[in-house]
Amino acid sequence: MRYRLPPLNSLRIFEAVMRHGSIRQAAGELCLTPQAVSLQLKQLESHLEQQLFQRSARSLTPTVAAREFYKHVRDGLDRFAEGVDAIAPGPARQQLYLYVSPYFATEFLVPRLGRFTSSVPDIDVRMAIGVELDEFNNKGLEAAIHWSYGAPPEFVETPLIDDLKVLVATPSLLARLPVHAPRDLLKHSVVVPLVSNSLWKDTLKLLGVDERPSQPIMMLHTHAAMMEAVLADLGVGFISYADAVRGVAAGRLVAPFGMDLLKQLPMGHIPRFSLLVRPDRRHSPTLMQFTQWLLEEVCTEQVVGYASKCRPDQLADA
């Protein structure tokens, strides 16, 4: 026999458990019982003569051998999937199923999407809007445009643009609680994204404020909700650049430390929008065409108003 391999089904189960970090979640994805998944893992360990997990009543910890084995199993299953795609008859129409962050969808993508669909007239585009990748996984879509500081390891990432934030407040709020120096910010409530971020801490550090902040923080799910909260005088807030430019120009907002303060943050501390693709879909011709269009016609300095540190090509041209 050329290949002395464990049963393919046990490898699929092992890959799902490693990806989820949970027998129960892997069982749900594979439509199996947790008991059946546990049995398959034990049979795989027996075949390999290696312990793959340290088990306790409340946790499942991969061993060093499991982490090494996972790399090969994941790559092998990706190759199988690519082979199936290569010989499968193509659909009559191309399909693009996306899960997009709300702000990116309304500010950048939807107003320009017609330019892409007109260049690919036989394409069906479906788009769900949301900020949590759990929703993306549950919907079974193939690519996401996601707001974060970096991609989860289970996705292939193409950085698109930095989401440059501007610290703003209304003129009426600053009239009541003036901000003459950075320390004055500690008198204000703060409006920040609900998604995990370090914007407030990084901004205070950038401004040289060493005191530990203790004021109320309002964490909101969407950029639109943050904008409304700031306009309602609920606090100073971090607003995306395009909305901040419009708000300041209209006299509705003030940026007490200027529009470009957070440009000084190092790469890795500026949140970004990235295109996330499942590994088994990274060679999809439709996704590759869509990615190229995004980079060349949407996610450019001319469109967003600034060069993005996550895009070396933009910085080289800046």
Side-chain angles (χ1 to χ4, degrees):
M1 295 177 62
R2 182 177 178 183
Y3 299 112
R4 300 184 61 187
L5 299 174
L8 178 59
N9 196 44
S10 69
L11 298 180
R12 289 179 62 245
I13 289 171
F14 168 75
E15 187 278 334
V17 171
M18 288 292 291
R19 177 160 38 86
H20 287 287
S22 162
I23 286 179
R24 184 170 299 277
Q25 291 183 32
E29 176 186 307
L30 299 169
C31 298
L32 297 171
T33 64
Q35 293 78 10
V37 169
S38 295
L39 179 60
Q40 287 281 344
L41 291 179
K42 290 179 181 177
Q43 291 175 349
L44 180 60
E45 289 177 322
S46 177
H47 182 96
L48 298 173
E49 299 181 349
Q50 286 276 357
Q51 184 175 1
L52 298 176
F53 298 96
Q54 298 285 348
R55 298 168 174 84
S56 69
R58 295 188 177 182
S59 67
L60 187 76
T61 305
T63 63
V64 173
R67 293 191 182 95
E68 179 63 26
F69 187 48
Y70 174 61
K71 301 175 188 175
H72 300 283
V73 171
R74 180 191 60 203
D75 290 346
L77 292 174
D78 284 349
R79 292 292 301 276
F80 282 138
E82 290 171 6
V84 171
D85 287 345
I87 65 170
R93 296 176 63 87
Q94 296 183 65
Q95 297 174 334
L96 182 63
Y97 297 165
L98 300 171
Y99 183 73
V100 185
S101 177
Y103 181 76
F104 190 94
T106 56
E107 182 67 30
F108 302 116
L109 182 57
V110 173
R112 297 168 179 85
L113 190 58
R115 302 178 193 174
F116 177 72
T117 56
S118 64
S119 67
V120 191
D122 62 340
I123 192 169
D124 288 332
V125 176
R126 300 183 187 179
M127 186 187 306
I129 304 297
V131 297
E132 300 293 345
L133 281 180
D134 286 345
E135 297 180 37
F136 167 63
N137 291 328
N138 293 336
K139 293 177 186 295
L141 305 179
E142 59 187 352
I145 296 177
H146 183 58
W147 188 96
S148 69
Y149 287 86
E154 65 267 27
F155 294 98
V156 177
E157 178 189 16
T158 301
L160 298 175
I161 54 169
D162 296 332
D163 183 21
L164 182 63
K165 297 293 188 183
V166 181
L167 185 66
V168 297
T170 61
S172 56
L173 179 62
L174 295 181
R176 294 200 310 273
L177 290 173
V179 175
H180 299 303
R183 284 194 72 259
D184 294 334
L185 288 172
L186 300 178
K187 305 172 186 175
H188 287 268
S189 298
V190 185
V191 179
V192 298
L194 178 61
V195 179
S196 177
N197 69 90
S198 58
L199 287 167
W200 184 226
K201 179 183 71 174
D202 288 342
T203 299
L204 292 178
K205 182 177 180 181
L206 198 60
L207 291 169
V209 179
D210 298 325
E211 290 93 335
R212 184 181 180 87
S214 60
Q215 71 273 58
I217 294 180
M218 179 175 293
M219 306 175 72
L220 298 176
H221 201 238
T222 66
H223 181 266
M226 291 174 58
M227 184 72 169
E228 291 302 317
V230 172
L231 291 173
D233 286 357
L234 297 182
V236 299
F238 292 93
I239 300 302
S240 290
Y241 191 83
D243 274 348
V245 168
R246 289 190 288 262
V248 170
R252 303 168 72 201
L253 297 174
V254 175
F257 298 101
M259 302 295 293
D260 297 334
L261 173 68
L262 273 70
K263 286 183 179 180
Q264 301 174 47
L265 291 174
M267 188 165 62
H269 288 259
I270 301 177
R272 62 180 179 260
F273 291 107
S274 295
L275 181 69
L276 307 184
V277 178
R278 299 184 187 281
D280 62 329
R281 298 294 297 157
R282 65 182 182 272
H283 298 308
S284 159
T286 302
L287 276 176
M288 293 172 69
Q289 186 175 1
F290 178 69
T291 302
Q292 192 69 21
W293 174 78
L294 276 177
L295 294 174
E296 293 180 354
E297 298 193 31
V298 178
C299 301
T300 67
E301 183 178 354
Q302 292 72 27
V303 170
V304 303
Y306 51 86
S308 293
K309 292 184 178 181
C310 70
R311 292 277 305 281
D313 58 322
Q314 286 194 33
L315 292 178
D317 295 336

